[in-house]
Amino acid sequence: MPTPSHLKNPRYFDFRAARRVPESHAWPGLHDHPFVDGGAPGPDSVPVVDLGAAEADPAAAVARAAEQWGAFLLTGHGVPAELLARVEDRIATMFALPADDKMRAVRGPGDACGYGSPPISSFFSKCMWSEGYTFSPANLRADLRKLWPKAGDDYTSFCDVMEEFHKQMRALADKLLELFLMALGLTDEQVGAVEAERRIAETMTATMHLNWYPRCPDPRRALGLIAHTDSGFFTFVLQSLVPGLQLFRHAPDRWVGVPAVPGAFVVNVGDLFHILTNGRFHSVYHRAIVNRDLDRISLGYFLGPPPHAKVEPLREAVPPGRTPAYRAVTWSEYMGVRKKAFTTGASALKMVALAAATELELDDAGAGAGADPAVVHQQLLVSS
């Protein structure tokens, strides 16, 4: 696997040949907090929103989940199970390519797309037990020629499946965005009539990130993906039936394992949606662990605004008589703030909070949001 993007001379790490976890991939503090099974009945059961349930109010279910968890399992979404199976199969085939083929597509410093470690790995001295590939659905065929420069059947099959998946997911994203806005209290007519809401729906962009988490000889020392919040609006996560995604919860602090439900997506609220909803729907702190015996595959379908579009709290999300908790910020600008937060241990969301907002407003806006990634990262890496 390529080393983090800030290091020179990237080299391939052969996970299959590893008989132990080297120090370069060993993370301290991974088990400082207890683990809870989020698939078991009880208060830590990960919420489920079923879009296909009769006589249900999906907007109310979305509101509860986004306010209390910042994430939920989405079922009844209408994306065909056979398509999801083909997507997973194509991802597995891609990561099974020879090392030389994958290294041909290594994502360089400053590149948004390509093969390599997760983009946030550049902030850490430790490497993650995973491989990834990021591409824009809008430029899918051009991006993937890095892996398959001569095209061919594998290239065509991969692109065809991913384009079909993107078409289905973009339509689902529009449907979920409408539910999110209705969950804020807007009516169907308001969602379609208010300019800010209409602009969000019309300009929302998508990015796809594929992940392969190889089986690991000592999963207690390794980490597939460092704990973080997503930066954009919201993310659909398609995961194989090998569980590994965990959500961080407070009071008491614990990691909650997201069950691998066949055909379900995990939906994560991102930081910019946290800002857009004035903190009512909070971003969720999450990570991916690895397995001793089984490989795991996941796909993140990320939704967000155009890079230079201003994102600020919607008027409908700010209670009467209160001021917005956050200032307007572009995605590009926020990524710069987030980078600074990672390196200083600060909170990116607090760094874009309005000084005019009272402490009470900020507390309300961030209620239940979980620990800021940078702060907990510092705790995890204190002995590294």
Side-chain angles (χ1 to χ4, degrees):
M1 184 185 72
T3 54
S5 60
H6 68 293
L7 302 180
K8 296 181 180 179
N9 302 319
R11 56 188 176 81
Y12 185 81
F13 182 83
D14 189 351
F15 290 106
R16 288 291 191 222
R19 296 294 176 263
R20 62 179 182 82
V21 174
E23 285 304 314
S24 59
H25 290 71
W27 291 76
L30 295 182
H31 308 284
D32 289 349
H33 303 298
F35 167 79
V36 180
D37 180 4
D44 281 320
S45 179
V46 177
V48 177
V49 175
D50 185 355
L51 297 184
E55 300 179 3
D57 184 353
V62 165
R64 286 193 299 271
E67 291 171 350
Q68 298 172 13
W69 282 74
F72 52 89
L73 285 162
L74 185 70
T75 62
H77 45 68
V79 181
E82 61 84 19
L83 172 59
L84 301 183
R86 284 189 286 132
V87 167
E88 186 175 334
D89 177 72
R90 291 295 85 200
I91 294 173
T93 299
M94 190 204 75
F95 284 117
L97 288 171
D100 288 346
D101 289 0
K102 291 186 286 189
M103 291 299 290
R104 187 166 51 217
V106 164
R107 182 177 58 249
D111 291 343
C113 298
Y115 166 80
S117 305
I120 58 174
S121 64
S122 62
F123 300 112
F124 304 99
S125 61
K126 298 292 186 178
C127 298
M128 300 174 209
W129 202 266
S130 60
E131 297 181 13
Y133 198 100
T134 304
F135 60 88
S136 165
N139 301 309
L140 186 155
R141 291 186 180 264
D143 284 345
L144 272 299
R145 287 300 289 269
K146 299 174 186 176
L147 279 177
W148 290 285
K150 297 181 180 179
D153 292 341
D154 287 344
Y155 165 81
T156 300
S157 173
F158 187 95
C159 292
D160 287 348
V161 169
M162 292 302 166
E163 285 175 342
E164 184 180 352
F165 179 75
H166 168 56
K167 182 179 179 181
Q168 293 271 351
M169 295 307 296
R170 193 59 183 81
L172 180 59
D174 289 341
K175 183 186 300 184
L176 185 59
L177 175 63
E178 184 174 334
L179 280 176
F180 271 125
L181 296 175
M182 291 172 64
L184 285 174
L186 278 69
T187 65
D188 286 335
E189 293 76 15
Q190 287 174 315
V191 171
V194 178
E195 181 181 355
E197 284 77 354
R198 188 171 62 251
R199 187 170 63 248
I200 292 167
E202 292 174 350
T203 64
M204 200 160 52
T205 62
T207 303
M208 293 172 67
H209 185 78
L210 317 179
N211 301 290
W212 178 55
Y213 303 100
R215 56 184 179 269
C216 176
D218 189 358
R220 289 188 59 83
R221 298 184 72 221
L223 191 62
L225 183 62
I226 185 65
H228 65 290
T229 56
D230 295 337
S231 62
F233 282 160
F234 52 91
T235 307
F236 294 100
V237 180
L238 172 65
Q239 58 176 346
S240 59
L241 295 184
V242 178
L245 181 62
Q246 297 183 341
L247 309 175
F248 192 71
R249 301 276 285 165
H250 273 312
D253 291 351
R254 69 240 187 241
W255 287 105
V256 177
V258 180
V261 177
F265 291 111
V266 184
V267 177
N268 294 331
V269 175
D271 288 349
L272 291 183
F273 216 64
H274 183 119
I275 293 171
L276 190 75
T277 63
N278 205 45
R280 178 175 168 186
F281 300 159
H282 66 78
S283 54
V284 62
Y285 187 56
H286 57 283
R287 70 179 186 180
I289 60 170
V290 290
N291 190 285
R292 183 183 297 276
D293 303 311
L294 299 170
D295 296 345
R296 177 174 175 264
I297 286 172
S298 73
L299 181 155
Y301 187 87
F302 297 86
L303 282 306
H308 303 294
K310 289 285 187 179
V311 177
E312 59 188 330
L314 293 169
R315 183 176 56 225
E316 295 82 4
V318 180
R322 303 285 286 273
T323 58
Y326 303 96
R327 65 177 175 86
V329 62
T330 67
W331 200 351
S332 298
E333 181 185 359
Y334 186 74
M335 292 305 289
V337 172
R338 190 168 141 102
K339 178 178 180 180
K340 184 177 180 180
F342 269 117
T343 56
T344 63
S347 162
L349 284 171
K350 287 186 178 179
M351 290 168 71
V352 297
L354 285 172
T358 67
E359 281 298 319
L360 177 61
E361 287 173 310
L362 289 176
D363 288 345
D364 288 347
D372 181 80
V375 175
V376 178
H377 289 158
Q378 293 298 321
Q379 296 170 349
L380 290 176
L381 299 172
V382 67
S383 60
S384 65

